[in-house]
Amino acid sequence: MSDIKYDIEQLTSEVVEWFKLNGNNEQDYLNRINKEVLSLILAEKPKVMVYGIYNAGKSTLINAIIGKEVAEMRDCPTTYRIDEYDNGDYTLIDSPGVDAPVEHQKITEDNIADCHVILYVISTKGGFESIRNYENMYRLIKTGKPFIIVINDKNSENDIRNSENINSIKCKIIENLQKVSGNHHIENLFDTIAVNGKRALMGQLKQKEKLVELSNLPMIKDRILHFLHSRSAMHIYTAPVNNLIALLDEMLADAEEKTNPDINDVFSSYLSDIRAKRNSFMEEIPYNVDMMVSRYERTLIESAYSRNNNSWEENIQSMYREFENMYSENVRNLMSYFSAKYTQVDFSGITTNNISGDISGYDMVDFEGSPEKHTDNDFSLPEDDDDISGTDILGSLTGVASNIISPTPAPNPLLIVNIFSKIFGSRKEKELKEFKRLQEEARERNRIAEENAFNEARRRQDIRISVETQSHKIRVDMRTLMTSQLSAVFEKAEACILASANRNQQEMDLLLDLCRQLNTFKTKALTIKNRIR
C-alpha cells in the first residue's frame, strides 16, 4: 500500500511541471498550489506510539518499519526521552520503556493521549510475565486506541507465523489479560502480532523482500495503516486533495474558455454541472464499497476459522459480482442522468465496458487446524493391580463369614476384629485413592479445556487480524477501480459535450488534449482521496 503523502506530492509535482511546460506561467495557480496543497501536507501527521518493555526491541522495530537505522540500538536501555521519526503518512514515537524511571514514564504518559495507535513491544526472551505489565497493557486497552502487542522474536530463525512458541506466548497473553480485566473476550479489543525485528531490519537494509516477508513486518505495517484509515486519522490529507481537485476544475474551465471563448451558456452550464456531479458522485463511492465489504467480512472470518475454502471462495466471488453489479448500476444511472439533463448533446459515442481489473485474487488465510478437542472418553480409568472391586470385597467378606460360622473351632475374637478392620481400612484407602485419581483427572480436563479455550481465542484473533487487514486492501482496490472506471465515463460524457459545443476541429483537438491531461490528473487525485477513507 503506497504512501498517500508521497502520492499527493508526486501528483502535485506532475501538475506543476505540466503547467509550466504548456506555457502556463500564471503565478497565481502556482502560488495557490503551494499554499493550498503542499503546505497542508506538511501539517502534523498521525502518531504511532512505540511503547513496551526495556530492551524488547522497540528501536529495532522502528528502524525496520522506516527501513533505515534512525533510532539508536544497544543492549542496554537507550531511550530517555520522546523521539519522533517521520515515516511518510505517520510519525513513529519512540518512548521510554515500561520500567523506566518515574520521570521518564511521565513523558510517555503525556504523549499517549495524542497518539492514534499504540505498539506495545515485548520479547520472546521474557521479561513480560509480571502482573504489572498486564495491568499496564489493560490500562492502555481501556483508552480505546488501537492497541497492538508486538512479540519480537529474538530466538527463532524459522518462519514465525506458525511458531508453536509464538502461539504459546499469544495464549499466555490472552490468559493473563483475561485474568486482569475479568473480560473473557478481551482478545477482540487488541491485536497480537509476532515479528522478527532483527530479520526485518536486515531484509530492509539489504533489500531482500523474502527476508522481510518471513519476518512478518508487512503485517505490522499493513495493520497500522488499517487502523489509521479506519479511525479517520488520515483525513488530514483530505483537504489538500480537495483543494487540488478544485484547482484542476478551475484549470479545465480556463482551458475551455481560452480555447473556445464563444461557447454558449447552455454548454458552459453543462460542463459546470457535469464536473460538480462527478465530484459528488465520487464522494459516495467509499461509503457504498465499505458497506458492501463489511457485510462479507464476518462470514469470511468464519470461513477462514472453519477452514472452509469453498465458503471463502463463494463469498469472495459473490462480493466481486456485487461490486460489478454496483458499477453497472452506476453507469446505467449516469447515462439516464446525462440523457435527461443534457438534451442538446449526442451521447451515442459513449461505450462502456464491464469493469476491468481483478480484485478477486485474495486467498483464505491459512492457520493451523482447530485446537484438539478432548472428551471424557479420553480419560479412561487406568488399570491398577492393587484395586479391589466390589465383587472382590464381597467375596472376601463371604469367605470370612464362612470361616466364622463353620464348624471349625471358633477363632480368637480379637483376631476377627483385626481382620474386619483391615478389610474396611483397605476399602476406605482404595476409595480415597480412587477419589484422588478422579480429582486429578478432573483437574487435567479443566487444564486442557482452558488450554483449548485460550488456543481457540488466539486462533480467532490471528484470523480476525488477517481477514480485517485483507478486507481493508479489498476496499482500497475496489474504490480505486470504481473511481477510475466511473471517471472514464464522466470524461467521455464531457468530451461529447465539448464536441457538441465546438464546430472547429482544430480547436476541438487542442481542447480535448488539454482536458484529457487535466482529467487524468483529476482521476489520480480522486483515486487518492478515495483511498483515504
Side-chain angles (χ1 to χ4, degrees):
M1 202 174 295
S2 59
D3 185 292
I4 287 176
K5 174 181 175 291
Y6 174 79
D7 289 346
I8 296 172
E9 289 175 333
Q10 285 293 102
L11 176 57
T12 305
S13 297
E14 287 179 33
V15 172
V16 170
E17 287 303 312
W18 174 85
F19 194 74
K20 290 178 178 178
L21 284 173
N22 281 272
N24 298 309
N25 295 316
E26 297 179 22
Q27 196 61 36
D28 178 55
Y29 274 128
L30 298 178
N31 290 338
R32 288 177 63 190
I33 286 174
N34 284 323
K35 181 180 178 181
E36 299 175 23
V37 180
L38 294 175
S39 64
L40 292 182
I41 63 176
L42 299 176
E44 188 173 14
K45 302 175 183 179
K47 293 181 179 180
V48 177
M49 173 73 77
V50 185
Y51 193 45
I53 298 165
Y54 258 150
N55 204 29
K58 299 192 305 295
S59 298
T60 303
L61 178 64
I62 288 171
N63 290 336
I65 291 173
I66 291 178
K68 55 186 177 183
E69 295 182 280
V70 293
E72 188 176 5
M73 298 177 292
R74 290 182 185 172
D75 291 332
C76 59
T78 59
T79 305
Y80 300 103
R81 63 187 185 278
I82 293 292
D83 290 317
E84 298 188 359
Y85 303 99
D86 187 350
N87 192 43
D89 284 339
Y90 56 90
T91 300
L92 285 168
I93 311 294
D94 191 6
S95 65
V98 173
D99 297 321
V102 174
E103 61 273 18
H104 296 160
Q105 287 191 33
K106 178 68 166 57
I107 297 172
T108 301
E109 297 298 323
D110 291 342
N111 281 268
I112 283 176
D114 296 329
C115 73
H116 296 84
V117 178
I118 301 173
L119 305 185
Y120 194 101
V121 187
I122 62 177
S123 167
T124 51
K125 286 191 174 179
F128 62 91
E129 294 88 352
S130 74
I131 193 68
R132 180 185 172 191
N133 283 320
Y134 288 99
E135 290 172 344
N136 196 29
M137 289 181 192
Y138 181 49
R139 179 177 59 81
L140 294 172
I141 290 171
K142 287 194 296 184
T143 64
K145 296 180 184 293
F147 187 73
I148 305 174
I149 299 174
V150 181
I151 304 172
N152 184 21
D153 184 12
K154 291 188 173 184
N155 299 319
S156 175
E157 292 299 324
N158 301 317
D159 187 344
I160 65 175
R161 288 170 293 186
N162 281 316
S163 162
E164 290 185 10
N165 182 46
I166 294 297
N167 289 339
S168 175
I169 293 174
K170 288 181 178 180
C171 288
K172 198 66 180 174
I173 290 170
I174 292 172
E175 178 184 0
N176 289 333
L177 281 172
Q178 284 185 3
K179 289 177 180 177
V180 167
S181 66
N183 181 352
H184 293 289
H185 299 287
I186 195 169
E187 68 275 3
N188 295 323
L189 303 180
F190 69 93
D191 289 358
T192 311
I193 302 175
V195 65
N196 188 312
K198 187 176 180 181
R199 177 186 289 175
L201 179 58
M202 187 182 303
Q204 292 278 71
L205 296 177
K206 295 185 177 181
Q207 297 183 336
K208 294 185 176 181
E209 292 184 11
K210 187 64 177 176
L211 205 58
V212 174
E213 182 183 346
L214 288 174
S215 75
N216 209 31
L217 180 67
M219 174 61 78
I220 297 280
K221 298 173 76 172
D222 287 344
R223 200 61 179 159
I224 291 171
L225 287 176
H226 165 76
F227 281 128
L228 292 177
H229 283 271
S230 62
R231 296 302 180 100
S232 301
M234 303 297 283
H235 274 194
I236 61 167
Y237 298 117
T238 302
V241 173
N242 279 340
N243 290 345
L244 182 57
I245 291 169
L247 285 167
L248 289 169
D249 279 339
E250 286 188 37
M251 290 180 186
L252 279 164
D254 283 353
E256 289 154 7
E257 184 178 350
K258 289 174 182 176
T259 308
N260 188 16
D262 297 325
I263 187 170
N264 67 48
D265 292 340
V266 172
F267 290 105
S268 180
S269 66
Y270 286 175
L271 290 169
S272 297
D273 181 75
I274 199 171
R275 283 171 194 146
K277 179 70 174 176
R278 179 182 180 183
N279 292 342
S280 65
F281 210 83
M282 294 302 166
E283 291 283 338
E284 299 174 6
I285 289 175
Y287 301 106
N288 293 336
V289 168
D290 287 357
M291 286 177 63
M292 184 195 68
V293 175
S294 295
R295 291 201 308 273
Y296 287 91
E297 192 172 77
R298 177 52 52 187
T299 308
L300 289 172
I301 289 174
E302 291 303 323
S303 297
Y305 184 75
S306 62
R307 304 182 68 82
N308 189 335
N309 194 65
N310 288 335
S311 174
W312 175 276
E313 289 294 335
E314 286 173 6
N315 277 284
I316 288 289
Q317 293 302 324
S318 294
M319 181 167 54
Y320 188 61
R321 283 194 297 271
E322 187 172 340
F323 173 67
E324 289 180 318
N325 291 336
M326 184 190 299
Y327 165 74
S328 299
E329 184 179 355
N330 281 326
V331 171
R332 285 194 298 270
N333 291 339
L334 281 174
M335 295 308 298
S336 297
Y337 176 85
F338 294 156
S339 299
K341 184 79 174 181
Y342 315 130
T343 55
Q344 298 185 35
V345 179
D346 179 14
F347 292 107
S348 60
I350 295 185
T351 56
T352 56
N353 302 318
N354 290 332
I355 193 161
S356 58
D358 184 15
I359 52 84
S360 59
Y362 287 90
D363 298 325
M364 183 172 73
V365 291
D366 185 25
F367 291 96
E368 73 280 6
S370 300
E372 183 182 356
K373 301 298 180 185
H374 296 270
T375 64
D376 291 340
N377 295 331
D378 295 325
F379 296 93
S380 56
L381 298 180
E383 294 183 2
D384 190 337
D385 293 337
D386 294 332
D387 283 351
I388 300 177
S389 67
T391 303
D392 293 336
I393 293 174
L394 180 61
S396 299
L397 288 174
T398 303
V400 172
S402 298
N403 288 332
I404 293 174
I405 62 175
S406 66
T408 54
N412 187 325
L414 291 177
L415 178 61
I416 294 173
V417 171
N418 190 37
I419 290 172
F420 272 96
S421 175
K422 284 184 177 180
I423 290 171
F424 286 104
S426 174
R427 181 178 182 181
K428 186 175 182 181
E429 181 181 339
K430 298 305 178 184
E431 288 177 347
L432 183 62
K433 185 176 181 181
E434 175 71 4
F435 177 71
K436 288 181 178 179
R437 183 176 65 80
L438 292 173
Q439 268 191 327
E440 186 61 35
E441 286 183 357
R443 279 194 291 268
E444 179 65 9
R445 279 197 295 271
N446 288 338
R447 184 193 67 77
I448 291 174
E450 284 186 353
E451 184 179 300
N452 284 341
F454 293 132
N455 198 36
E456 183 173 348
R458 184 271 311 163
R459 188 166 177 267
R460 278 193 176 275
Q461 185 190 63
D462 284 347
I463 288 173
R464 173 182 59 79
I465 292 168
S466 292
V467 174
E468 285 179 356
T469 305
Q470 197 165 190
S471 68
H472 174 68
K473 293 179 180 178
I474 291 174
R475 285 182 174 93
V476 173
D477 285 349
M478 284 185 168
R479 293 172 192 167
T480 300
L481 269 175
M482 187 75 79
T483 301
S484 61
Q485 295 287 334
L486 291 180
S487 288
V489 175
F490 275 101
E491 288 164 25
K492 289 175 182 177
E494 189 175 324
C496 289
I497 295 173
L498 288 170
S500 299
N502 197 318
R503 301 293 180 239
N504 185 307
Q505 188 62 47
Q506 185 177 358
E507 290 180 353
M508 177 63 184
D509 292 341
L510 178 61
L511 183 55
L512 285 176
D513 284 341
L514 284 170
C515 290
R516 192 175 295 113
Q517 184 58 60
L518 287 168
N519 274 316
T520 298
F521 291 143
K522 186 174 177 180
T523 298
K524 289 182 180 180
L526 288 165
T527 301
I528 294 171
K529 180 180 177 179
N530 286 342
R531 282 169 45 207
I532 294 172
R533 306 300 180 88

